[in-house]
């Protein structure tokens, strides 16, 4: 199992580097990932055989001339990965290519709805994901909720999330006709998307997600390259009793980031969520000066959580085809 796990991790690192670069040669990937070229070649042959990557021509010759290196990229025709984000007021579903390019998106309002109506809207976006990817396979769906998501994908209510929905993955699988469904808290999904930006095999990072309807911050933490989970298996949330969000929101978020960042010794702090334009400008101006080390980054991508959710599904898909996990 150790060998299978190392194989899956190497393949995921190659995929992650191609997601950043778009295309690259074997030698360029080996250099970027500090791997032997022979190791990269073996794993890339498997990726080519599976259809996850494709050759796209040859690059420039080196300074000494010689044969041009073959370039590869992630093949968008391999399949789609869906990301669903259930927030306190809406549900959004996005389709992504293996390169994490968003190809389609749908958002439904949940204002004033009860639990039965919310489940019906989740079923609707799942059906949409299944039909929108009809021309190429839907390989998996990642589901993230703005609340605690426990084992089996059970979604419970919280101070800023009014619905107790029970286990959601089965509903999504049935409606989308997709057997691979992953689920997690929204801050954890965002932290996974953050990790894809860092040039580190074992990133340490903190993601703070500011909710707009109540003074609460969701926190996703990566330590030594893995999501850190609390006693219930989900991301921690710092409620108003622990850290009041009063007055200058940007200042409070930065103070919290500095406190946790120093305690956890993270390489980067990512901040997203509901902040007004002035708060965003203050966060951007603060930058590295406010970080314990590394950097502070404000994430302004409207589909960041959905992207992280889709990335969860892609990671689990790779673990299944490499034998680390069994489907279902």
């Amino acid at each position: 199992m150790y060998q299978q796990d190392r194989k899956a991790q190497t393949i995921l690192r190659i995929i992650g580097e191609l997601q950043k670069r778009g295309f690259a040669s074997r030698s360029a990937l080996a250099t970027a990932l500090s791997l032997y070229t022979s190791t990269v070649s073996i794993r890339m042959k498997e990726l080519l055989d599976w259809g996850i990557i494709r050759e796209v021509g040859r690059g420039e010759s080196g300074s000494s001339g010689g044969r041009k290196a073959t370039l590869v990229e992630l093949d968008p025709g391999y399949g789609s990965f869906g990301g669903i984000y259930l927030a306190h007021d809406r549900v959004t579903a996005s389709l992504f290519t293996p390169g994490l390019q968003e190809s389609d998106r749908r958002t439904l309002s949940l204002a004033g709805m009860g639990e039965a109506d919310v489940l019906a809207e989740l079923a609707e976006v799942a059906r949409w994901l299944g039909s929108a990817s009809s021309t190429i396979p839907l390989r998996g769906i990642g589901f993230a909720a703005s609340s605690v998501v426990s084992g089996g994908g059970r979604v419970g209510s919280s101070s800023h999330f009014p619905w107790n929905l029970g286990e959601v993955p089965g509903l999504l699988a049935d409606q989308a006709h997709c057997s691979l469904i992953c689920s997690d808290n929204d801050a954890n999904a965002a932290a996974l998307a953050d990790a894809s930006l860092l040039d580190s095999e074992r990133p340490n990072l903190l993601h703070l997600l500011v909710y707009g309807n109540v003074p609460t911050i969701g926190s996703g933490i990566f330590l030594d390259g893995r999501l850190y989970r609390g006693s219930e298996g989900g991301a921690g949330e710092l409620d108003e009793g622990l850290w009041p969000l009063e007055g200058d929101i940007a200042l409070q978020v930065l103070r919290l980031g500095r406190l946790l960042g120093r305690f956890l010794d993270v390489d980067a702090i990512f901040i997203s969520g509901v902040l007004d334009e002035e708060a965003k400008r203050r966060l951007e101006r603060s930058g590295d000066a406010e970080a314990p080390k590394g950097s502070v980054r404000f994430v302004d991508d409207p589909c960041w959580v959905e992207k992280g959710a889709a990335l969860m599904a892609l990671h689990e898909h790779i673990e299944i085809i490499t034998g680390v996990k069994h489907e279902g």
Side-chain angles (χ1 to χ4, degrees), residues 36-149:
Y36 291 115
T37 303
S38 58
T39 300
V40 172
S41 295
I42 291 169
R43 299 305 170 219
M44 286 181 63
K45 182 181 185 306
E46 292 173 310
L47 288 166
L48 283 165
D49 290 343
W50 292 329
I52 298 176
I53 63 173
R54 63 184 180 184
E55 295 181 346
V56 290
R58 297 188 179 276
E60 299 293 330
S61 298
S63 57
S64 59
R67 186 178 180 183
K68 296 179 180 179
T70 301
L71 302 177
V72 298
E73 68 176 3
L74 293 164
D75 189 348
Y78 174 73
S80 295
F81 293 87
I84 297 177
Y85 181 21
L86 178 61
H88 70 277
D89 60 349
R90 70 190 185 283
V91 58
T92 302
S94 296
L95 272 175
F96 295 91
T97 67
L100 293 185
Q101 300 298 313
E102 188 183 40
S103 59
D104 211 345
R105 181 179 182 86
R106 186 172 185 184
T107 300
L108 300 176
S109 173
L110 303 178
M113 290 189 180
E115 291 170 358
D117 291 330
V118 171
L119 289 171
E121 296 296 80
L122 279 172
E124 173 63 24
V125 296
R127 285 193 294 272
W128 174 78
L129 283 174
S131 62
S133 60
S134 58
T135 57
I136 56 176
L138 179 61
R139 299 290 184 178
I141 295 174
F143 166 71
S146 183
S147 188
V148 174
V149 181

Side-chain angles (χ1 to χ4, degrees), residues 12-26:
L12 286 171
R13 291 182 67 201
I14 291 171
I15 290 174
E17 193 64 24
L18 287 172
Q19 287 169 343
K20 294 175 189 174
R21 291 170 172 255
F23 57 85
S25 67
R26 290 166 175 78

Side-chain angles (χ1 to χ4, degrees), residues 7 14 19 25 49 59 88-89 179 203 229 248 279 301 305 314 323:
K7 173 181 174 179
I14 291 171
Q19 287 169 343
S25 67
D49 290 343
H88 70 277
D89 60 349
S179 59
R229 301 180 184 278
D248 190 329
D301 187 330
V305 172
L314 188 153

Side-chain angles (χ1 to χ4, degrees), residues 28 30 83 118 135 142-143 163-164 179 212-213 219 234 246-247 256 261 265 276:
V118 171
T135 57
F143 166 71
W163 309 294
N164 187 9
S179 59
N213 57 327
S219 59
E246 300 172 347
L256 178 59
D265 194 31
D276 60 34

Side-chain angles (χ1 to χ4, degrees), residues 129-198:
L129 283 174
S131 62
S133 60
S134 58
T135 57
I136 56 176
L138 179 61
R139 299 290 184 178
I141 295 174
F143 166 71
S146 183
S147 188
V148 174
V149 181
S150 56
R154 178 173 291 277
V155 181
S157 59
S158 65
S159 61
H160 60 280
F161 189 87
W163 309 294
N164 187 9
L165 301 178
E167 294 184 4
V168 171
L171 169 70
L172 302 179
D174 290 342
Q175 298 300 318
H177 302 292
C178 179
S179 59
L180 173 56
I181 309 291
C182 307
S183 56
D184 213 326
N185 175 273
D186 55 353
N188 277 348
L192 184 59
D194 299 338
S196 70
L197 298 177
L198 300 181

